[in-house]
């Protein structure tokens, strides 16, 4: 089978890496891909957002399946567009992808169907939002979220009224996050450890993957600005089997049922960002896709053929297959360009990748490219994800750091407390 993966980050490298191990996949393409992906797939210079370009490539090259990995193309209906043209595509349709693309939509869905999440209100008028913040029951920190997609950065945890007011004005009146911030959600601040559960679903059956946890802040001890994710590990230290049962009953199945009741068939990967609060697990957010960097520590643990799972989801026969996992924990450290997520310089030669790849360690590429001499250079904010297995989680963390220590380029930055904080 000829498969085209859409996207070009560390997550897509992990997806391509796993698909390349499938007996069913004879040719693998990735649009646009990256330096590391180019070693295992043919990179296609078409933007992930170019529906027509992707369709033309798929038709001209007789692609059997397109896997749409990032949120942006999902939110503009890439899957609907390809399917309408008769191309098999993996990922939720535009209506289903709204669970990530609009927090107003996802919060409304949870409220209507009684799925546990933080209490909230939505606003398009900053004066009304500020009036709401001034009601007597408001506590701090307050949580203010842009409605739409904002590269994982549209959430402000405001420690006091001044910060909360500023966040509301910035988003609604100041155009921060553009159209994504024109409507805001103000919600209750929840406490407790976080855990992430990704699941495959064909709209009927839901199959949770092994749990994980990511680290969103740029610096150690969860300080600094929010990023796309600085590292992840699997399994979560807090997500017990009992909690998994509770989540299945109160969150996972009800979400799929709620979408169905709204006339939406969700097919693809659904991401549950959970907070394990003293009052039970609650949804922090949904994403309509594999997480990045969670995928880089989850897919290495998958024993089953990923292509077969994708095919079963598309053909709505997920209940007929079994999915097996490696018991060994896994950890992924993200190595970023110095200054990320604000300003950073590109084009530095990266050394030590091959050396790091020894000893059960996999190096997934995100923002890398090749220079004229064929050397890997940093080309983006998050550059590499260094993933390792261990017999225990602590051993996986230690090995991932050992691998990371072998890699270097000018200004390389990584957190030293992944899996430990
Ligand atoms: P999100 O992009 O919605 O996942 O939010 C980013 C991060 O902000 C989450 O991973 C949480 O750490 C934090 N966060 C979001 N919503 C809340 C909330 N209601 N209470 C406490 N923390 C939150
Ligand atoms: N790591 C968080 C995300 O993929 O949104």
């Amino acid at each position: 089978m000829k498969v085209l993966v859409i996207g070009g980050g560390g997550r897509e490298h992990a997806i391509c890496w796993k698909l390349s191990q499938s007996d069913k996949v004879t040719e693998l393409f990735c649009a646009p891909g990256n330096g590391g992906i180019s070693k295992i797939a043919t990179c296609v210079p078409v933007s992930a957002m170019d529906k027509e370009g992707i369709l033309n490539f798929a038709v001209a090259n007789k692609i059997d399946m397109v896997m749409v990995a990032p949120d942006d193309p999902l939110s503009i209906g890439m899957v609907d567009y390809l399917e309408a043209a008769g191309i098999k595509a993996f990922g939720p349709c535009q209506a289903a992808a709204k669970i990530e693309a609009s927090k107003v939509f996802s919060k409304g869905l949870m409220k209507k169907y009684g799925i546990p999440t933080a209490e909230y209100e939505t606003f398009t008028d900053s004066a009304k939002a500020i009036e709401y913040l001034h009601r007597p029951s408001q506590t701090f920190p307050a949580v203010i979220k842009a409605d739409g997609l904002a590269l994982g950065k549209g959430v402000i945890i405001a420690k006091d009224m001044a910060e909360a007011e500023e966040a509301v004005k910035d988003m609604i009146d100041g155009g921060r996050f553009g159209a994504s911030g024109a409507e805001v959600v103000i919600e209750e601040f929840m406490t407790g450890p976080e855990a992430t559960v990704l699941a495959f679903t064909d709209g009927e059956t839901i199959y949770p993957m092994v749990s994980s946890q990511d680290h969103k802040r740029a610096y150690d001890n969860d300080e600094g600005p929010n990023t796309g994710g600085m590292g992840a590990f699997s399994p979560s230290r807090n997500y017990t089997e009992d909690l998994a049962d509770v989540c299945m009953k109160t969150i996972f199945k009800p979400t799929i049922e709620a979408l169905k009741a709204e006339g939406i068939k969700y097919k693809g990967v659904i991401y549950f960002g959970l907070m394990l609060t003293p009052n039970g697990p609650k949804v922090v957010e949904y994403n309509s896709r594999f997480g990045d960097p969670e995928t880089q520590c989850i897919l290495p643990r998958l024993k089953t053929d990923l292509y077969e799972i994708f095919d079963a989801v598309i053909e709505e026969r997920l209940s007929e297959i079994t999915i097996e996992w490696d018991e060994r924990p896994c950890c992924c450290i993200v190595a970023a360009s110095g200054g990320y997520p604000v300003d950073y310089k590109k084009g530095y030669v990266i050394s030590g990748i091959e050396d790091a790849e020894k000893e059960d360690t996999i190096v997934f590429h995100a923002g890398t490219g090749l220079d004229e001499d064929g050397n890997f250079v940093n080309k983006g904010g998050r550059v590499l994800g260094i993933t390792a297995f261990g017999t225990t989680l602590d051993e996986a963390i230690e090995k991932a750091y050992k691998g990371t220590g072998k890699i270097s380029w000018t200004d390389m930055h990584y957190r030293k407390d992944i899996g430990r904080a």
Side-chain angles (χ1 to χ4, degrees), residues 84-249:
I87 305 279
K88 219 169 172 178
F90 179 89
C93 62
Q94 186 171 23
K98 227 174 152 191
I99 58 156
E100 172 169 11
S102 169
K103 295 215 189 275
V104 173
F105 171 77
S106 62
K107 294 294 290 187
L109 188 81
M110 288 185 267
K111 190 184 244 178
K112 183 167 171 190
Y113 293 93
I115 298 164
T117 187
E119 296 290 328
Y120 76 103
E121 288 295 334
T122 65
F123 300 93
T124 49
D125 179 314
S126 59
K128 291 220 170 81
I130 289 169
E131 194 185 311
Y132 175 80
L133 284 167
H134 280 271
R135 80 200 186 290
S137 59
Q138 177 67 47
T139 52
F140 289 91
V143 182
I144 294 138
K145 299 185 174 183
D147 171 46
L149 298 175
L151 294 170
K153 292 159 201 156
V155 174
I156 307 287
I157 311 284
K159 68 174 185 309
D160 55 28
M161 185 65 81
E163 266 188 33
E165 286 192 12
E166 192 186 325
V168 163
K169 284 187 203 149
D170 266 8
M171 286 190 202
I172 299 179
D173 305 328
R176 184 171 172 192
F177 311 124
S180 288
E183 186 158 12
V184 302
V185 171
I186 300 182
E187 68 179 32
E188 166 207 3
F189 180 77
M190 301 185 287
T191 55
E194 290 184 54
T196 299
V197 178
L198 278 67
F200 295 109
T201 178
D202 59 5
E204 285 292 335
T205 304
I206 181 152
Y207 225 125
M209 303 183 211
V210 286
S211 67
S212 60
Q213 194 182 325
D214 74 338
H215 297 261
K216 291 198 170 71
R217 299 296 189 110
Y219 312 126
D220 288 6
N221 302 315
D222 281 337
E223 283 171 16
N226 258 329
T227 70
M230 293 300 290
F233 57 95
S234 170
S236 148
R237 291 187 194 273
N238 306 299
Y239 191 73
T240 60
E241 274 184 29
D242 284 351
L243 271 171
D245 287 344
V246 173
C247 288
M248 185 53 115
K249 283 195 197 93

Side-chain angles (χ1 to χ4, degrees), residues 267-285:
K267 289 167 64 175
V269 168
I270 182 163
Y271 172 124
F272 299 93
L274 305 170
M275 182 96 60
L276 310 175
T277 79
N279 301 319
K282 295 189 182 184
V283 177
V284 178
E285 65 163 348

Side-chain angles (χ1 to χ4, degrees), residues 33 36 129 254 289 387:
R289 54 176 172 80
T387 295

Side-chain angles (χ1 to χ4, degrees), residues 67-83:
M67 190 281 165
V68 187
D71 47 354
D72 289 341
L74 290 168
S75 76
I76 58 161
M78 180 68 84
V79 168
D80 315 51
Y81 186 79
L82 293 170
E83 279 182 345

